[in-house]
Amino acid sequence: MYSTEFAKDPHAVIREVRAESPIASSERGIELLSYSLCEQVLRDPRFAVGFDEMMEATGITAGPAHEVIVNSINNTEGEHHRRLRQAIAPHLAPRAVEELRARLREVVESRLAEVEADGECDLVETLTQWLPATAFCLLTGAPLADRQLIGELSDKAQRFFEMKPLNREDVEAGLADVEAYMDELLVARERDPGDDVISGLLLSERNGELTRNEARNLSIILLAASTDTTSGQITFTFAALADDPEAFRQLRANDNLAKNAVLETARYSPGLWTAPRFAREGGEIEGHAIEPGTQLNAFFLAANRDPEVFEEPDELKIERKLPRPPLNWSSGRHFCPGRPLAVLEIEEAVRAVARRWRRMRLLGPIESRGAPYIVAPTKAPIGFEPEGEVAT
Amino acid sequence: MIVQVDRDECIGAATCVNEVPAVFELDEEGIARVIAPEVDEAMTTAVEDAVSICPVEALSIVE
């Protein structure tokens, strides 16, 4: 998986391996390459999300960063987990985030208006580092002036996903910054409540549905988890549409395809490649014995193109009815409650570009880091062609 | 009131089960199921809330 062959064409390698078996071993553990196995493992309570293990692999076994991460909504189970999910769910539900659509559209429009007359820009600089951070501000009542800072905060804090001791300092410092930022915001919202998520969580605390620590933890995770993943997916969605002028033409002809186009491009080119699970007690999958402590990897890059689920999986078809959702946002009890907001943001980005330009194309390779976990593009040169211009 | 689940869309996040455990449960495949399709009048508001907070909009009220 870390080979040059894989880096060049991961899908070719996946196809070849999957033809042998949907369960494969790798340097890091076991890889699950089919949709049904990924779904099964993500949902199986015997397999832990394992933020404890991931923090330990980063060299963090105690302290405030550890405390926040292991007690997060992502990592807890049972009654504690249920309480956290129930508190945040209404605030991120489709109907709730719909309220942000008009504001997000304005932000996208104003950012795209900055693209120079030559129609060329770095997508990361122009759009992706702004849009999810803006959505976070609108959602939480954080000042819009903090947008850039918010993007940077999220970036460092979540590097424990890479499980590298090298990232220890970034993760600890990043989380300390996120905590400090959020503690200030909590005080501000407490003093001056609004109809934002943070005020909502504080209300849940007053109603006895959450402890103070839980409201704080949810707020911190909201910041740490909301920007980088969505930023990455905007870039990969744009790249997929840039690569397929016919799909972009279809989108221009029918604005109603936008949401489906977002889900289909997320399936076709996910920004989140894999999610690990940890078989603490060991177990068994499809007759394969799993040793205690094994890292199981739900390989979204593979599952999203499983021919058992998706017809012609290597084709991008933005009008297709997806028989199952792409796994980018996981499945089961830890399904990402932020999906509606992420999809809404990407949808508005795609819509705005389709309204404005006739086609788009990548002008060079996308530079990124974080693979094979959360792939975060750092540079994505892109060109937009105005109406009437003849493609060369 | 009758509520139904779109099995193709349901992702098994159990948001509805957490909200109204008297009406929703997860089946053996981890997909939401309505325990009794005809919703008791006392439950209608809670069920409407569950429908509106489903993250993948897999629930609908049919009548």
PDB file of all heavy atoms in Angstrom, chain A residues 43 82 86 89-90 93-95 259 321 323-325 331-333 335 339-340, chain B residues 7-13 15 18-19 29-31 51-57:
ATOM      1  N   ARG A  43     -19.574  -1.636  11.653  1.00  0.00           N
ATOM      2  CA  ARG A  43     -20.744  -1.745  12.522  1.00  0.00           C
ATOM      3  C   ARG A  43     -20.565  -2.714  13.682  1.00  0.00           C
ATOM      4  O   ARG A  43     -21.352  -2.701  14.619  1.00  0.00           O
ATOM      5  CB  ARG A  43     -21.941  -2.202  11.688  1.00  0.00           C
ATOM      6  CG  ARG A  43     -22.427  -1.115  10.771  1.00  0.00           C
ATOM      7  CD  ARG A  43     -23.350  -1.690   9.742  1.00  0.00           C
ATOM      8  NE  ARG A  43     -23.960  -0.619   8.984  1.00  0.00           N
ATOM      9  CZ  ARG A  43     -25.250  -0.557   8.722  1.00  0.00           C
ATOM     10  NH1 ARG A  43     -26.057  -1.499   9.118  1.00  0.00           N
ATOM     11  NH2 ARG A  43     -25.728   0.448   8.033  1.00  0.00           N
ATOM     12  N   ARG A  82     -24.287   7.356  23.154  1.00  0.00           N
ATOM     13  CA  ARG A  82     -25.666   7.652  22.772  1.00  0.00           C
ATOM     14  C   ARG A  82     -26.054   9.078  23.189  1.00  0.00           C
ATOM     15  O   ARG A  82     -26.666   9.821  22.425  1.00  0.00           O
ATOM     16  CB  ARG A  82     -26.616   6.641  23.433  1.00  0.00           C
ATOM     17  CG  ARG A  82     -28.036   6.646  22.873  1.00  0.00           C
ATOM     18  CD  ARG A  82     -29.012   5.895  23.768  1.00  0.00           C
ATOM     19  NE  ARG A  82     -29.087   6.476  25.110  1.00  0.00           N
ATOM     20  CZ  ARG A  82     -29.724   7.609  25.403  1.00  0.00           C
ATOM     21  NH1 ARG A  82     -30.348   8.286  24.476  1.00  0.00           N
ATOM     22  NH2 ARG A  82     -29.722   8.071  26.647  1.00  0.00           N
ATOM     23  N   GLN A  86     -27.058  12.037  20.581  1.00  0.00           N
ATOM     24  CA  GLN A  86     -28.396  12.610  20.644  1.00  0.00           C
ATOM     25  C   GLN A  86     -28.341  14.129  20.807  1.00  0.00           C
ATOM     26  O   GLN A  86     -29.183  14.843  20.278  1.00  0.00           O
ATOM     27  CB  GLN A  86     -29.165  11.976  21.804  1.00  0.00           C
ATOM     28  CG  GLN A  86     -30.616  11.746  21.451  1.00  0.00           C
ATOM     29  CD  GLN A  86     -31.342  10.990  22.550  1.00  0.00           C
ATOM     30  OE1 GLN A  86     -30.695  10.378  23.409  1.00  0.00           O
ATOM     31  NE2 GLN A  86     -32.648  11.037  22.533  1.00  0.00           N
ATOM     32  N   ALA A  89     -27.010  15.565  17.210  1.00  0.00           N
ATOM     33  CA  ALA A  89     -27.743  15.211  15.988  1.00  0.00           C
ATOM     34  C   ALA A  89     -28.682  16.303  15.458  1.00  0.00           C
ATOM     35  O   ALA A  89     -28.616  16.628  14.271  1.00  0.00           O
ATOM     36  CB  ALA A  89     -28.510  13.903  16.197  1.00  0.00           C
ATOM     37  N   PRO A  90     -29.535  16.897  16.317  1.00  0.00           N
ATOM     38  CA  PRO A  90     -30.473  17.889  15.753  1.00  0.00           C
ATOM     39  C   PRO A  90     -29.765  19.086  15.134  1.00  0.00           C
ATOM     40  O   PRO A  90     -30.252  19.665  14.176  1.00  0.00           O
ATOM     41  CB  PRO A  90     -31.315  18.334  16.958  1.00  0.00           C
ATOM     42  CG  PRO A  90     -30.904  17.511  18.116  1.00  0.00           C
ATOM     43  CD  PRO A  90     -29.737  16.678  17.758  1.00  0.00           C
ATOM     44  N   ALA A  93     -28.505  18.102  11.572  1.00  0.00           N
ATOM     45  CA  ALA A  93     -29.461  17.408  10.707  1.00  0.00           C
ATOM     46  C   ALA A  93     -29.689  18.194   9.413  1.00  0.00           C
ATOM     47  O   ALA A  93     -29.465  19.401   9.364  1.00  0.00           O
ATOM     48  CB  ALA A  93     -30.783  17.249  11.449  1.00  0.00           C
ATOM     49  N   PRO A  94     -30.131  17.490   8.358  1.00  0.00           N
ATOM     50  CA  PRO A  94     -30.331  18.159   7.064  1.00  0.00           C
ATOM     51  C   PRO A  94     -31.130  19.456   7.166  1.00  0.00           C
ATOM     52  O   PRO A  94     -30.747  20.479   6.601  1.00  0.00           O
ATOM     53  CB  PRO A  94     -31.078  17.105   6.242  1.00  0.00           C
ATOM     54  CG  PRO A  94     -30.623  15.794   6.811  1.00  0.00           C
ATOM     55  CD  PRO A  94     -30.418  16.047   8.283  1.00  0.00           C
ATOM     56  N   ARG A  95     -32.227  19.421   7.904  1.00  0.00           N
ATOM     57  CA  ARG A  95     -33.075  20.613   7.966  1.00  0.00           C
ATOM     58  C   ARG A  95     -32.374  21.768   8.675  1.00  0.00           C
ATOM     59  O   ARG A  95     -32.530  22.927   8.324  1.00  0.00           O
ATOM     60  CB  ARG A  95     -34.386  20.268   8.677  1.00  0.00           C
ATOM     61  CG  ARG A  95     -35.581  20.915   8.010  1.00  0.00           C
ATOM     62  CD  ARG A  95     -36.882  20.445   8.603  1.00  0.00           C
ATOM     63  NE  ARG A  95     -37.215  19.084   8.228  1.00  0.00           N
ATOM     64  CZ  ARG A  95     -38.308  18.453   8.683  1.00  0.00           C
ATOM     65  NH1 ARG A  95     -39.112  19.043   9.537  1.00  0.00           N
ATOM     66  NH2 ARG A  95     -38.566  17.220   8.293  1.00  0.00           N
ATOM     67  N   LYS A 259     -26.547  17.570  -5.745  1.00  0.00           N
ATOM     68  CA  LYS A 259     -26.339  16.759  -4.537  1.00  0.00           C
ATOM     69  C   LYS A 259     -25.870  15.350  -4.910  1.00  0.00           C
ATOM     70  O   LYS A 259     -24.944  14.811  -4.307  1.00  0.00           O
ATOM     71  CB  LYS A 259     -27.622  16.694  -3.700  1.00  0.00           C
ATOM     72  CG  LYS A 259     -27.393  15.953  -2.402  1.00  0.00           C
ATOM     73  CD  LYS A 259     -28.627  15.840  -1.535  1.00  0.00           C
ATOM     74  CE  LYS A 259     -28.319  14.935  -0.341  1.00  0.00           C
ATOM     75  NZ  LYS A 259     -29.525  14.575   0.404  1.00  0.00           N
ATOM     76  N   LYS A 321     -28.401   6.444  -9.653  1.00  0.00           N
ATOM     77  CA  LYS A 321     -29.033   6.274  -8.341  1.00  0.00           C
ATOM     78  C   LYS A 321     -28.100   5.372  -7.558  1.00  0.00           C
ATOM     79  O   LYS A 321     -27.904   4.208  -7.905  1.00  0.00           O
ATOM     80  CB  LYS A 321     -30.420   5.652  -8.530  1.00  0.00           C
ATOM     81  CG  LYS A 321     -31.027   5.004  -7.289  1.00  0.00           C
ATOM     82  CD  LYS A 321     -31.906   5.976  -6.493  1.00  0.00           C
ATOM     83  CE  LYS A 321     -32.585   5.294  -5.301  1.00  0.00           C
ATOM     84  NZ  LYS A 321     -31.728   5.152  -4.105  1.00  0.00           N
ATOM     85  N   PRO A 323     -27.031   2.778  -5.139  1.00  0.00           N
ATOM     86  CA  PRO A 323     -27.769   1.744  -4.411  1.00  0.00           C
ATOM     87  C   PRO A 323     -27.459   1.743  -2.916  1.00  0.00           C
ATOM     88  O   PRO A 323     -28.297   1.356  -2.097  1.00  0.00           O
ATOM     89  CB  PRO A 323     -27.306   0.435  -5.065  1.00  0.00           C
ATOM     90  CG  PRO A 323     -26.044   0.753  -5.780  1.00  0.00           C
ATOM     91  CD  PRO A 323     -26.048   2.221  -6.083  1.00  0.00           C
ATOM     92  N   ARG A 324     -26.250   2.192  -2.555  1.00  0.00           N
ATOM     93  CA  ARG A 324     -25.869   2.380  -1.148  1.00  0.00           C
ATOM     94  C   ARG A 324     -25.039   3.662  -1.075  1.00  0.00           C
ATOM     95  O   ARG A 324     -24.372   4.025  -2.046  1.00  0.00           O
ATOM     96  CB  ARG A 324     -25.021   1.203  -0.619  1.00  0.00           C
ATOM     97  CG  ARG A 324     -25.732  -0.137  -0.541  1.00  0.00           C
ATOM     98  CD  ARG A 324     -26.843  -0.178   0.490  1.00  0.00           C
ATOM     99  NE  ARG A 324     -26.344  -0.105   1.858  1.00  0.00           N
ATOM    100  CZ  ARG A 324     -27.010   0.501   2.849  1.00  0.00           C
ATOM    101  NH1 ARG A 324     -28.164   1.086   2.621  1.00  0.00           N
ATOM    102  NH2 ARG A 324     -26.513   0.522   4.058  1.00  0.00           N
ATOM    103  N   PRO A 325     -25.024   4.331   0.075  1.00  0.00           N
ATOM    104  CA  PRO A 325     -24.223   5.562   0.179  1.00  0.00           C
ATOM    105  C   PRO A 325     -22.726   5.260   0.103  1.00  0.00           C
ATOM    106  O   PRO A 325     -22.300   4.177   0.498  1.00  0.00           O
ATOM    107  CB  PRO A 325     -24.582   6.084   1.574  1.00  0.00           C
ATOM    108  CG  PRO A 325     -25.763   5.305   2.034  1.00  0.00           C
ATOM    109  CD  PRO A 325     -25.745   4.009   1.323  1.00  0.00           C
ATOM    110  N   SER A 331     -20.299   4.126   8.560  1.00  0.00           N
ATOM    111  CA  SER A 331     -21.572   3.429   8.559  1.00  0.00           C
ATOM    112  C   SER A 331     -21.853   2.946   9.969  1.00  0.00           C
ATOM    113  O   SER A 331     -20.931   2.659  10.723  1.00  0.00           O
ATOM    114  CB  SER A 331     -21.474   2.229   7.604  1.00  0.00           C
ATOM    115  OG  SER A 331     -22.719   1.588   7.486  1.00  0.00           O
ATOM    116  N   GLY A 332     -23.128   2.878  10.323  1.00  0.00           N
ATOM    117  CA  GLY A 332     -23.484   2.370  11.645  1.00  0.00           C
ATOM    118  C   GLY A 332     -23.379   3.414  12.734  1.00  0.00           C
ATOM    119  O   GLY A 332     -23.478   4.612  12.477  1.00  0.00           O
ATOM    120  N   ARG A 333     -23.140   2.963  13.957  1.00  0.00           N
ATOM    121  CA  ARG A 333     -23.274   3.840  15.130  1.00  0.00           C
ATOM    122  C   ARG A 333     -22.310   5.021  15.110  1.00  0.00           C
ATOM    123  O   ARG A 333     -22.553   6.032  15.765  1.00  0.00           O
ATOM    124  CB  ARG A 333     -23.098   3.023  16.414  1.00  0.00           C
ATOM    125  CG  ARG A 333     -21.691   2.445  16.603  1.00  0.00           C
ATOM    126  CD  ARG A 333     -21.655   1.320  17.612  1.00  0.00           C
ATOM    127  NE  ARG A 333     -20.274   0.896  17.891  1.00  0.00           N
ATOM    128  CZ  ARG A 333     -19.556   0.107  17.079  1.00  0.00           C
ATOM    129  NH1 ARG A 333     -20.064  -0.338  15.951  1.00  0.00           N
ATOM    130  NH2 ARG A 333     -18.321  -0.224  17.401  1.00  0.00           N
ATOM    131  N   PHE A 335     -21.463   6.634  12.275  1.00  0.00           N
ATOM    132  CA  PHE A 335     -21.668   7.407  11.048  1.00  0.00           C
ATOM    133  C   PHE A 335     -21.523   8.897  11.345  1.00  0.00           C
ATOM    134  O   PHE A 335     -22.018   9.395  12.356  1.00  0.00           O
ATOM    135  CB  PHE A 335     -23.076   7.125  10.489  1.00  0.00           C
ATOM    136  CG  PHE A 335     -23.386   7.903   9.244  1.00  0.00           C
ATOM    137  CD1 PHE A 335     -22.839   7.518   8.041  1.00  0.00           C
ATOM    138  CD2 PHE A 335     -24.200   9.022   9.289  1.00  0.00           C
ATOM    139  CE1 PHE A 335     -23.117   8.237   6.874  1.00  0.00           C
ATOM    140  CE2 PHE A 335     -24.480   9.745   8.132  1.00  0.00           C
ATOM    141  CZ  PHE A 335     -23.935   9.350   6.936  1.00  0.00           C
ATOM    142  N   ARG A 339     -22.292  14.751   7.961  1.00  0.00           N
ATOM    143  CA  ARG A 339     -22.402  14.580   6.507  1.00  0.00           C
ATOM    144  C   ARG A 339     -23.330  15.596   5.837  1.00  0.00           C
ATOM    145  O   ARG A 339     -22.970  16.149   4.791  1.00  0.00           O
ATOM    146  CB  ARG A 339     -22.831  13.156   6.123  1.00  0.00           C
ATOM    147  CG  ARG A 339     -22.676  12.931   4.623  1.00  0.00           C
ATOM    148  CD  ARG A 339     -23.199  11.579   4.145  1.00  0.00           C
ATOM    149  NE  ARG A 339     -24.572  11.691   3.690  1.00  0.00           N
ATOM    150  CZ  ARG A 339     -25.175  10.805   2.898  1.00  0.00           C
ATOM    151  NH1 ARG A 339     -24.518   9.748   2.465  1.00  0.00           N
ATOM    152  NH2 ARG A 339     -26.420  10.962   2.532  1.00  0.00           N
ATOM    153  N   PRO A 340     -24.507  15.871   6.406  1.00  0.00           N
ATOM    154  CA  PRO A 340     -25.378  16.827   5.707  1.00  0.00           C
ATOM    155  C   PRO A 340     -24.698  18.176   5.455  1.00  0.00           C
ATOM    156  O   PRO A 340     -24.856  18.757   4.385  1.00  0.00           O
ATOM    157  CB  PRO A 340     -26.580  16.971   6.649  1.00  0.00           C
ATOM    158  CG  PRO A 340     -26.608  15.692   7.423  1.00  0.00           C
ATOM    159  CD  PRO A 340     -25.164  15.306   7.610  1.00  0.00           C
TER     160      PRO A 340
ATOM    161  N   ARG B   7     -34.704   1.531   3.084  1.00  0.00           N
ATOM    162  CA  ARG B   7     -33.588   0.645   3.440  1.00  0.00           C
ATOM    163  C   ARG B   7     -32.327   0.910   2.614  1.00  0.00           C
ATOM    164  O   ARG B   7     -31.218   0.606   3.057  1.00  0.00           O
ATOM    165  CB  ARG B   7     -34.003  -0.821   3.303  1.00  0.00           C
ATOM    166  CG  ARG B   7     -35.101  -1.237   4.279  1.00  0.00           C
ATOM    167  CD  ARG B   7     -35.394  -2.733   4.154  1.00  0.00           C
ATOM    168  NE  ARG B   7     -34.191  -3.546   4.350  1.00  0.00           N
ATOM    169  CZ  ARG B   7     -33.779  -3.986   5.535  1.00  0.00           C
ATOM    170  NH1 ARG B   7     -34.461  -3.712   6.619  1.00  0.00           N
ATOM    171  NH2 ARG B   7     -32.676  -4.717   5.628  1.00  0.00           N
ATOM    172  N   ASP B   8     -32.503   1.433   1.391  1.00  0.00           N
ATOM    173  CA  ASP B   8     -31.320   1.729   0.563  1.00  0.00           C
ATOM    174  C   ASP B   8     -30.545   2.928   1.113  1.00  0.00           C
ATOM    175  O   ASP B   8     -29.342   3.051   0.914  1.00  0.00           O
ATOM    176  CB  ASP B   8     -31.724   2.045  -0.888  1.00  0.00           C
ATOM    177  CG  ASP B   8     -32.297   0.826  -1.587  1.00  0.00           C
ATOM    178  OD1 ASP B   8     -32.072  -0.291  -1.077  1.00  0.00           O
ATOM    179  OD2 ASP B   8     -32.963   0.997  -2.618  1.00  0.00           O
ATOM    180  N   GLU B   9     -31.273   3.833   1.748  1.00  0.00           N
ATOM    181  CA  GLU B   9     -30.629   5.055   2.239  1.00  0.00           C
ATOM    182  C   GLU B   9     -30.109   4.901   3.670  1.00  0.00           C
ATOM    183  O   GLU B   9     -29.128   5.532   4.038  1.00  0.00           O
ATOM    184  CB  GLU B   9     -31.618   6.233   2.210  1.00  0.00           C
ATOM    185  CG  GLU B   9     -32.129   6.621   0.825  1.00  0.00           C
ATOM    186  CD  GLU B   9     -31.045   7.243  -0.050  1.00  0.00           C
ATOM    187  OE1 GLU B   9     -30.051   7.764   0.491  1.00  0.00           O
ATOM    188  OE2 GLU B   9     -31.203   7.197  -1.287  1.00  0.00           O
ATOM    189  N   CYS B  10     -30.773   4.082   4.478  1.00  0.00           N
ATOM    190  CA  CYS B  10     -30.439   3.980   5.907  1.00  0.00           C
ATOM    191  C   CYS B  10     -28.989   3.523   6.085  1.00  0.00           C
ATOM    192  O   CYS B  10     -28.539   2.585   5.441  1.00  0.00           O
ATOM    193  CB  CYS B  10     -31.371   3.000   6.620  1.00  0.00           C
ATOM    194  SG  CYS B  10     -30.955   2.808   8.375  1.00  0.00           S
ATOM    195  N   ILE B  11     -28.290   4.222   6.970  1.00  0.00           N
ATOM    196  CA  ILE B  11     -26.871   3.960   7.188  1.00  0.00           C
ATOM    197  C   ILE B  11     -26.649   3.348   8.579  1.00  0.00           C
ATOM    198  O   ILE B  11     -25.538   3.078   8.998  1.00  0.00           O
ATOM    199  CB  ILE B  11     -26.085   5.280   6.964  1.00  0.00           C
ATOM    200  CG1 ILE B  11     -24.598   5.048   6.762  1.00  0.00           C
ATOM    201  CG2 ILE B  11     -26.320   6.278   8.083  1.00  0.00           C
ATOM    202  CD1 ILE B  11     -24.237   4.559   5.400  1.00  0.00           C
ATOM    203  N   GLY B  12     -27.749   3.120   9.301  1.00  0.00           N
ATOM    204  CA  GLY B  12     -27.660   2.456  10.601  1.00  0.00           C
ATOM    205  C   GLY B  12     -27.024   3.297  11.685  1.00  0.00           C
ATOM    206  O   GLY B  12     -26.426   2.771  12.616  1.00  0.00           O
ATOM    207  N   ALA B  13     -27.144   4.632  11.570  1.00  0.00           N
ATOM    208  CA  ALA B  13     -26.546   5.506  12.587  1.00  0.00           C
ATOM    209  C   ALA B  13     -27.339   5.459  13.895  1.00  0.00           C
ATOM    210  O   ALA B  13     -26.872   5.939  14.913  1.00  0.00           O
ATOM    211  CB  ALA B  13     -26.469   6.939  12.070  1.00  0.00           C
ATOM    212  N   THR B  15     -29.832   7.118  14.870  1.00  0.00           N
ATOM    213  CA  THR B  15     -30.295   8.405  15.394  1.00  0.00           C
ATOM    214  C   THR B  15     -31.771   8.311  15.801  1.00  0.00           C
ATOM    215  O   THR B  15     -32.164   8.788  16.862  1.00  0.00           O
ATOM    216  CB  THR B  15     -30.116   9.504  14.328  1.00  0.00           C
ATOM    217  OG1 THR B  15     -28.808   9.380  13.786  1.00  0.00           O
ATOM    218  CG2 THR B  15     -30.282  10.884  14.917  1.00  0.00           C
ATOM    219  N   ASN B  18     -32.197   6.146  18.974  1.00  0.00           N
ATOM    220  CA  ASN B  18     -31.863   6.921  20.170  1.00  0.00           C
ATOM    221  C   ASN B  18     -32.988   7.884  20.538  1.00  0.00           C
ATOM    222  O   ASN B  18     -33.264   8.121  21.707  1.00  0.00           O
ATOM    223  CB  ASN B  18     -30.590   7.743  19.951  1.00  0.00           C
ATOM    224  CG  ASN B  18     -29.361   6.873  19.847  1.00  0.00           C
ATOM    225  OD1 ASN B  18     -29.355   5.738  20.307  1.00  0.00           O
ATOM    226  ND2 ASN B  18     -28.315   7.388  19.221  1.00  0.00           N
ATOM    227  N   GLU B  19     -33.611   8.437  19.516  1.00  0.00           N
ATOM    228  CA  GLU B  19     -34.644   9.460  19.733  1.00  0.00           C
ATOM    229  C   GLU B  19     -35.942   8.838  20.261  1.00  0.00           C
ATOM    230  O   GLU B  19     -36.504   9.327  21.239  1.00  0.00           O
ATOM    231  CB  GLU B  19     -34.880  10.195  18.404  1.00  0.00           C
ATOM    232  CG  GLU B  19     -35.691  11.460  18.510  1.00  0.00           C
ATOM    233  CD  GLU B  19     -34.945  12.608  19.186  1.00  0.00           C
ATOM    234  OE1 GLU B  19     -33.715  12.552  19.307  1.00  0.00           O
ATOM    235  OE2 GLU B  19     -35.628  13.562  19.616  1.00  0.00           O
ATOM    236  N   GLU B  29     -29.530  -6.692  10.397  1.00  0.00           N
ATOM    237  CA  GLU B  29     -28.518  -6.138   9.477  1.00  0.00           C
ATOM    238  C   GLU B  29     -28.065  -4.741   9.895  1.00  0.00           C
ATOM    239  O   GLU B  29     -27.266  -4.106   9.197  1.00  0.00           O
ATOM    240  CB  GLU B  29     -29.082  -6.062   8.056  1.00  0.00           C
ATOM    241  CG  GLU B  29     -29.214  -7.415   7.382  1.00  0.00           C
ATOM    242  CD  GLU B  29     -29.893  -7.271   6.023  1.00  0.00           C
ATOM    243  OE1 GLU B  29     -29.397  -6.489   5.194  1.00  0.00           O
ATOM    244  OE2 GLU B  29     -30.924  -7.922   5.823  1.00  0.00           O
ATOM    245  N   GLY B  30     -28.619  -4.241  11.000  1.00  0.00           N
ATOM    246  CA  GLY B  30     -28.221  -2.913  11.465  1.00  0.00           C
ATOM    247  C   GLY B  30     -28.945  -1.789  10.752  1.00  0.00           C
ATOM    248  O   GLY B  30     -28.514  -0.641  10.781  1.00  0.00           O
ATOM    249  N   ILE B  31     -30.053  -2.120  10.081  1.00  0.00           N
ATOM    250  CA  ILE B  31     -30.857  -1.111   9.382  1.00  0.00           C
ATOM    251  C   ILE B  31     -32.083  -0.793  10.254  1.00  0.00           C
ATOM    252  O   ILE B  31     -32.620  -1.687  10.916  1.00  0.00           O
ATOM    253  CB  ILE B  31     -31.322  -1.668   8.006  1.00  0.00           C
ATOM    254  CG1 ILE B  31     -30.127  -2.068   7.127  1.00  0.00           C
ATOM    255  CG2 ILE B  31     -32.257  -0.695   7.281  1.00  0.00           C
ATOM    256  CD1 ILE B  31     -29.344  -0.934   6.541  1.00  0.00           C
ATOM    257  N   VAL B  51     -37.696  11.860  12.304  1.00  0.00           N
ATOM    258  CA  VAL B  51     -37.672  11.966  10.837  1.00  0.00           C
ATOM    259  C   VAL B  51     -36.790  13.144  10.426  1.00  0.00           C
ATOM    260  O   VAL B  51     -35.973  13.042   9.518  1.00  0.00           O
ATOM    261  CB  VAL B  51     -39.109  12.120  10.270  1.00  0.00           C
ATOM    262  CG1 VAL B  51     -39.086  12.466   8.782  1.00  0.00           C
ATOM    263  CG2 VAL B  51     -39.914  10.847  10.509  1.00  0.00           C
ATOM    264  N   SER B  52     -36.931  14.258  11.139  1.00  0.00           N
ATOM    265  CA  SER B  52     -36.211  15.457  10.712  1.00  0.00           C
ATOM    266  C   SER B  52     -34.726  15.412  11.063  1.00  0.00           C
ATOM    267  O   SER B  52     -33.935  16.111  10.450  1.00  0.00           O
ATOM    268  CB  SER B  52     -36.869  16.709  11.291  1.00  0.00           C
ATOM    269  OG  SER B  52     -36.508  16.850  12.642  1.00  0.00           O
ATOM    270  N   ILE B  53     -34.319  14.596  12.029  1.00  0.00           N
ATOM    271  CA  ILE B  53     -32.887  14.580  12.372  1.00  0.00           C
ATOM    272  C   ILE B  53     -32.131  13.418  11.739  1.00  0.00           C
ATOM    273  O   ILE B  53     -30.923  13.300  11.921  1.00  0.00           O
ATOM    274  CB  ILE B  53     -32.616  14.620  13.892  1.00  0.00           C
ATOM    275  CG1 ILE B  53     -33.133  13.369  14.594  1.00  0.00           C
ATOM    276  CG2 ILE B  53     -33.168  15.883  14.515  1.00  0.00           C
ATOM    277  CD1 ILE B  53     -32.731  13.302  16.066  1.00  0.00           C
ATOM    278  N   CYS B  54     -32.805  12.566  10.970  1.00  0.00           N
ATOM    279  CA  CYS B  54     -32.067  11.476  10.305  1.00  0.00           C
ATOM    280  C   CYS B  54     -30.996  12.086   9.389  1.00  0.00           C
ATOM    281  O   CYS B  54     -31.309  12.894   8.529  1.00  0.00           O
ATOM    282  CB  CYS B  54     -33.018  10.609   9.475  1.00  0.00           C
ATOM    283  SG  CYS B  54     -32.114   9.416   8.463  1.00  0.00           S
ATOM    284  N   PRO B  55     -29.713  11.708   9.578  1.00  0.00           N
ATOM    285  CA  PRO B  55     -28.654  12.357   8.806  1.00  0.00           C
ATOM    286  C   PRO B  55     -28.678  12.040   7.313  1.00  0.00           C
ATOM    287  O   PRO B  55     -28.063  12.751   6.526  1.00  0.00           O
ATOM    288  CB  PRO B  55     -27.363  11.841   9.463  1.00  0.00           C
ATOM    289  CG  PRO B  55     -27.741  10.569  10.122  1.00  0.00           C
ATOM    290  CD  PRO B  55     -29.183  10.721  10.533  1.00  0.00           C
ATOM    291  N   VAL B  56     -29.354  10.964   6.930  1.00  0.00           N
ATOM    292  CA  VAL B  56     -29.395  10.628   5.495  1.00  0.00           C
ATOM    293  C   VAL B  56     -30.832  10.686   4.933  1.00  0.00           C
ATOM    294  O   VAL B  56     -31.101  10.190   3.846  1.00  0.00           O
ATOM    295  CB  VAL B  56     -28.765   9.238   5.212  1.00  0.00           C
ATOM    296  CG1 VAL B  56     -27.262   9.317   5.364  1.00  0.00           C
ATOM    297  CG2 VAL B  56     -29.338   8.162   6.129  1.00  0.00           C
ATOM    298  N   GLU B  57     -31.730  11.299   5.684  1.00  0.00           N
ATOM    299  CA  GLU B  57     -33.119  11.475   5.250  1.00  0.00           C
ATOM    300  C   GLU B  57     -33.750  10.174   4.769  1.00  0.00           C
ATOM    301  O   GLU B  57     -34.360  10.119   3.712  1.00  0.00           O
ATOM    302  CB  GLU B  57     -33.204  12.554   4.164  1.00  0.00           C
ATOM    303  CG  GLU B  57     -32.767  13.920   4.688  1.00  0.00           C
ATOM    304  CD  GLU B  57     -32.705  14.985   3.599  1.00  0.00           C
ATOM    305  OE1 GLU B  57     -31.707  15.050   2.863  1.00  0.00           O
ATOM    306  OE2 GLU B  57     -33.673  15.752   3.514  1.00  0.00           O
TER     307      GLU B  57
END
